[in-house]
Amino acid sequence: MMKNYSIPEISKGVYAVGSRDWNLKLFDALIPTHYGTSYNSYVVKGNEKTALIETVKPCFQEELGGKIRQLLGIGGIDYLIMNHAEPDHAGAIPYVLEMSGKTKLLTSEKGAKMAEVMHNVSADRIVKVKEGQTIELGGKTLKFIDAPWLHWPETMFTYLVEDKVLFSCDFFGSHFAKGVYDTDVKDLVGGAQAYYGEIMMPFRALGKKAMDKLESVEISMIAPSHGPVYKNPEKIMSVYKKWTAGETDEKAIVAYVSMWGSTEKMAKAVAEKLMAEGIEVSLYNLTAADAGDVAKDLVDSRAIVIGSPTVMGGIHPLALYASSLVRAFRPPLKYAAVVGSYGWGGCSVKEVTKLLELAKVEVVGSHEVNGPPLDEDYKKLEEVGKVLACRMRQ
Ligand code: FEO
């Protein structure tokens, strides 16, 4: 007997046929996914034609095939829409194209090239679509919206006109295996923020452009490619508007690594002064910090304090990692302070400062100490915290 899948109908004639990856612990070999993730794929059934929007990670392709057969019988898919070429959504394209010879792959100009190169799709199966172009399924119209660099060059959105459903690929996504709808997941916005920090924040300017474009689109539901479907899209759209605009809060990240406790004392002294000045602080010992939590805080923090001892004539490797994350994620941080201790020759403060300035973050204070901090050092650290708080409030 064939397996009977539960297939939610998220809007009339629109079915969620993706897969849940409950056991995924790390995404992009970088960000912990404590709640797994999902690879969302959607069937849109019209009176005459049927479309599939995105596929799944290849290890789940048999499940996708089973759901398509259960839903459509021998009818099959007419249009397979690839909003994004990354393998977690496009990796099962060859499998789906193999299921029926009639299926055409619809994607952006850049997506067409990627489908050929990355997924070995022959050119005669590909139809390139442009901004504003529509296809009719019979009572259902799909419209394509250019949304490049979210977070690859080929990305686009697909909009179901009659139902006002936006299929947004990775944009508005979150890493949750559980739930069908936004109402099923507690602290969904927190999860979406960590996801945004890792995936979308480096492309904030393009994200803002997309948000501006969506102002003129009536949206009743957002169906992203990871995480639950938003039946109530207002909240996620309003936080995305803030995040993509680069708006920050009076909030600072204090991230440090310490070998013998001196740099830790220094970082905590600055953190305490910041808190005394009314600044919200998230403090991370980098030996145990979760990169997802840091990415989440980078989304709306205005400042960062990095503490690093000098080790083997340079920055401690964990502080180097944190400084690299700041460069790679391009957060809207404006200000920074750098502190550190050394045994016989200091340089970490100078080196971290250089890295932060390359990331266009203004370093407004620093202090480096030989050995453990003394009373006069605590006074200087308090001053560093005060100056930073003052700049953050300006
Ligand atoms: Fe979820 Fe960029 O793939």
Side-chain angles (χ1 to χ4, degrees), residues 2-9 13-18 41-45 50-52 63-77 99:
M2 268 174 56
K3 181 171 168 36
N4 191 35
Y5 292 101
S6 157
I7 301 176
E9 186 175 14
V14 182
Y15 302 88
V17 292
S41 170
Y42 303 94
V43 163
V44 182
K45 257 173 108 171
T50 299
L52 179 72
E63 181 184 330
L64 176 65
K67 288 178 179 177
I68 292 171
R69 277 188 284 271
Q70 179 178 314
L71 204 55
L72 305 175
I74 55 162
I77 301 291
M99 285 176 75

Side-chain angles (χ1 to χ4, degrees), residues 7-313:
I7 301 176
E9 186 175 14
I10 60 166
S11 187
K12 194 166 166 43
V14 182
Y15 302 88
V17 292
S19 298
R20 299 175 194 280
D21 194 347
W22 294 97
N23 297 316
L24 187 79
K25 293 297 170 220
L26 204 57
F27 202 86
D28 285 352
L30 178 64
I31 296 289
T33 43
H34 301 294
Y35 308 103
T37 195
S38 62
Y39 313 109
N40 299 343
S41 170
Y42 303 94
V43 163
V44 182
K45 257 173 108 171
N47 299 327
E48 290 141 32
K49 304 273 187 193
T50 299
L52 179 72
I53 298 173
E54 309 283 35
T55 67
V56 292
K57 204 171 171 178
C59 53
F60 292 97
Q61 64 189 22
E62 299 287 341
E63 181 184 330
L64 176 65
K67 288 178 179 177
I68 292 171
R69 277 188 284 271
Q70 179 178 314
L71 204 55
L72 305 175
I74 55 162
I77 301 291
D78 297 287
Y79 305 116
L80 170 50
I81 292 157
M82 186 186 86
N83 281 335
H84 178 25
E86 199 164 8
D88 51 335
H89 311 293
I93 283 174
Y95 174 90
V96 173
L97 291 180
E98 188 75 13
M99 285 176 75
S100 169
K102 73 173 178 178
T103 309
K104 292 281 183 197
L105 184 77
L106 274 58
T107 188
S108 64
E109 172 97 33
K110 288 198 170 91
K113 174 94 181 138
M114 285 183 163
E116 283 185 60
V117 173
M118 296 180 67
H119 305 296
N120 206 22
V121 180
S122 65
D124 61 337
R125 302 286 300 265
I126 301 175
V127 178
K128 294 176 195 167
V129 294
K130 289 200 167 94
E131 162 77 13
Q133 194 176 328
T134 57
I135 52 163
E136 296 296 330
L137 306 178
K140 300 271 186 207
T141 311
L142 292 174
K143 186 173 182 179
F144 304 106
I145 300 173
D146 268 352
W149 285 106
L150 300 175
H151 59 130
W152 279 21
E154 82 296 357
T155 49
M156 64 178 199
F157 301 151
T158 300
Y159 178 65
L160 175 53
V161 176
E162 290 78 4
D163 300 64
K164 304 181 177 67
V165 180
L166 181 75
F167 299 95
S168 60
C169 69
D170 281 334
F171 210 55
F172 303 118
S174 61
H175 288 311
F176 288 101
K178 63 186 171 185
V180 176
Y181 299 111
D182 44 358
T183 44
D184 301 332
V185 179
K186 279 186 202 151
D187 195 25
L188 174 56
V189 171
Q193 183 169 338
Y195 177 95
Y196 170 88
E198 187 217 352
I199 305 283
M200 294 297 160
M201 190 160 63
F203 307 95
R204 188 160 54 81
L206 279 304
K208 186 177 180 315
K209 231 176 173 173
M211 289 305 293
D212 290 345
K213 194 185 262 191
L214 292 179
E215 294 248 309
S216 59
V217 181
E218 212 180 325
I219 298 170
S220 303
M221 177 177 272
I222 295 176
S225 293
H226 295 286
V229 167
Y230 292 91
K231 276 196 290 192
N232 311 288
E234 303 79 20
K235 175 71 185 166
I236 191 70
M237 290 196 74
S238 90
V239 289
Y240 255 67
K241 208 167 170 188
K242 178 188 165 187
W243 299 338
T244 55
E247 283 177 34
T248 55
D249 297 329
E250 282 185 5
K251 183 173 157 187
I253 296 172
V254 177
Y256 70 90
V257 55
S258 190
M259 293 163 75
W260 297 104
S262 297
T263 301
E264 179 172 48
K265 284 177 187 153
M266 297 175 78
K268 284 186 172 171
V270 178
E272 273 169 35
K273 184 61 184 171
L274 286 171
M275 286 187 283
E277 293 281 331
I279 303 295
E280 182 187 338
V281 169
S282 297
L283 185 133
Y284 294 101
N285 181 335
L286 292 166
T287 59
D290 178 305
D293 290 340
V294 178
K296 179 181 170 188
D297 276 325
L298 283 170
V299 171
D300 54 9
S301 289
R302 195 168 298 165
I304 189 163
V305 178
I306 293 187
S308 172
T310 296
V311 51
M312 293 175 284

